């Protein structure tokens, strides 16, 4: 975990010594790997800042969405006990492989491992599209990681498995049993899945990636680590953060070559007695 944090800090440190203005694809093609890393560091840092300051620039539609999320979560809060009891009853019948996958996929080691691997592949191969995906993953994971760390400590909500009910809070206690909101596994797993899904256009492929990203959130409710409302708000944080950073990268045209390509499209083909998936790059 210390190595992961060190690599993340080094990546963002590159932003202090890098090109702030967007470069054309031809200009990026002439840069060395070190220069590309510095450029990507600036992109990631810019996305991080944009995600944190975006609420200052929300318009009426944004605030309406925010109100809808808060209102919907408030309604779910009234049935938190009932939904928690329902999911806890499913614990014995849940596949162990799903629980294990959910626990591992939402862990910082795996989430940042995937994130770092995607970015390093794009950097070493100088693939602009993959580099952008890696930057989106790194900046999004860092942004939501900091948010969930602060909220867990300040909110101090009791976990369902404590048996103290949904109204039990101990802000700043530091006790592991009072770090229910938000769900770190949910935030990291779905942030990774949602960012990756943006690289595909086929709705079936997107749905498949979303499904994988939802395994961790559901497994955490089933084992009594989080309430349903914890997970719902965590999902909202993930989506809002990834969208904000993705909009920043697109709006600033940090990776222009990506906009001139159709990207990776996947089509599901059905025939008599056959089914296949065709990818076009």
């Amino acid at each position: 975990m210390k190595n992961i944090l060190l690599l993340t800090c080094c990546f963002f440190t590159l932003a202090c010594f890098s090109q702030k203005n967007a470069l054309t694809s031809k200009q990026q093609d002439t840069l060395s790997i070190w220069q590309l890393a510095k450029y990507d560091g600036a992109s990631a840092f810019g996305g991080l800042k944009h995600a944190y300051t975006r609420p200052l620039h929300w318009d009426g539609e944004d605030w309406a969405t925010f109100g809808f999320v808060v209102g919907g979560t408030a309604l779910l809060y009234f049935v938190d006990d009932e939904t928690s009891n329902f999911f806890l009853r499913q614990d014995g019948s849940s596949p162990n492989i799903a629980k294990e996958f959910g626990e591992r996929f939402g862990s910082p080691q795996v989430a940042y491992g995937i994130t770092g691997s995607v970015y390093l592949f794009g950097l070493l191969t100088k693939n602009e599209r993959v580099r952008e995906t890696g930057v989106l993953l790194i900046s999004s994971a860092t942004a939501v990681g900091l948010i969930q760390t602060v909220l867990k400590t300040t909110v101090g909500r009791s976990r369902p498995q404590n048996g103290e009910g949904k109204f039990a809070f101990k802000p700043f206690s530091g006790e592991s049993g009072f770090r229910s909101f938000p769900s770190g596994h949910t935030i990291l797993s779905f942030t990774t899945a949602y960012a990756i899904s943006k690289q595909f256009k086929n709705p079936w492929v997107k749905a498949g990636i979303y499904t994988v990203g939802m395994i961790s959130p559901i497994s955490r409710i089933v084992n009594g680590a989080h309430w349903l409302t914890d997970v719902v708000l965590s999902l909202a944080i993930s989506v809002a953060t990834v969208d904000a950073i993705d909009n920043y990268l697109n709006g600033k045209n940090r990776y222009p070559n990506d906009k001139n390509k159709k990207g990776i499209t996947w089509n599901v083909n059905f025939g008599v007695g056959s089914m296949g998936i065709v990818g076009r790059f």
Side-chain angles (χ1 to χ4, degrees):
M1 186 62 188
K2 291 181 179 179
N3 292 332
I4 294 173
L5 293 176
L6 179 61
L7 288 173
T8 303
C9 290
C10 290
F11 186 74
F12 280 105
T13 301
L14 294 174
C16 299
F17 309 97
S18 58
Q19 172 70 44
K20 301 298 182 182
N21 299 322
L23 300 177
T24 65
S25 294
K26 288 185 178 180
Q27 289 175 319
Q28 292 186 45
D29 288 340
T30 64
L31 299 179
S32 66
I33 289 179
W34 172 247
Q35 290 171 321
L36 286 175
K38 291 194 294 182
Y39 181 82
D40 293 337
S43 298
F45 188 66
L48 183 70
K49 290 192 298 182
H50 182 79
Y52 286 149
T53 59
R54 184 56 196 161
L56 300 176
H57 306 283
W58 280 356
D59 55 22
E61 184 177 345
D62 294 320
W63 282 110
T65 302
F66 176 78
F68 175 79
V69 172
V70 172
T73 305
L75 292 175
L76 289 176
Y77 194 86
F78 288 105
V79 293
D80 251 347
D81 286 323
E82 290 75 13
T83 55
S84 178
N85 290 333
F86 169 79
F87 279 105
L88 285 173
R89 288 196 296 270
Q90 316 309 313
D91 191 20
S93 58
S94 301
N96 289 329
I97 188 172
K99 296 179 185 177
E100 184 69 17
F101 179 85
E103 182 68 26
R104 291 182 180 276
F105 188 57
S107 66
Q109 294 87 343
V110 172
Y112 281 101
I114 295 173
T115 295
S117 298
V118 170
Y119 174 69
L120 286 176
F121 176 79
L123 178 64
L124 296 177
T125 59
K126 292 190 175 183
N127 185 307
E128 187 175 305
R129 182 174 181 79
V130 179
R131 278 175 45 229
E132 181 182 15
T133 302
V135 168
L136 177 61
L137 284 165
I138 290 175
S139 50
S140 296
T142 302
V144 296
L146 292 173
I147 291 173
Q148 67 99 10
T149 298
V150 172
L151 288 177
K152 275 183 177 293
T153 302
T154 56
V155 175
R157 191 182 190 189
S158 176
R159 298 185 186 275
Q161 59 195 199
N162 290 351
E164 298 192 23
K166 62 186 178 184
F167 294 107
F169 292 86
K170 282 186 181 180
F172 303 102
S173 69
E175 299 178 32
S176 61
F178 287 86
R179 295 171 64 85
S180 185
F181 175 78
S183 168
H185 280 71
T186 296
I187 280 182
L188 287 179
S189 65
F190 200 75
T191 293
T192 301
Y194 189 58
I196 292 176
S197 73
K198 283 184 169 292
Q199 314 313 313
F200 302 91
K201 294 183 178 180
N202 188 283
W204 293 102
V205 175
K206 285 180 176 289
I209 297 174
Y210 293 157
T211 299
V212 173
M214 286 299 298
I215 294 177
S216 287
I218 293 175
S219 66
R220 296 295 282 172
I221 301 176
V222 170
N223 65 22
H226 297 285
W227 305 91
L228 178 60
T229 47
D230 296 332
V231 167
V232 170
L233 279 180
S234 297
L235 292 173
I237 291 172
S238 292
V239 171
T241 302
V242 173
D243 280 345
I245 295 175
D246 188 51
N247 290 337
Y248 167 82
L249 296 176
N250 291 332
K252 296 296 183 180
N253 206 28
R254 298 293 295 183
Y255 301 92
N257 192 47
D258 183 38
K259 311 305 174 292
N260 299 324
K261 294 182 179 180
K262 293 182 179 179
I264 307 173
T265 58
W266 297 86
N267 294 310
V268 181
N269 296 330
F270 295 92
V272 180
S274 65
M275 179 181 72
I277 300 177
V278 178
R280 292 184 175 85
F281 296 83

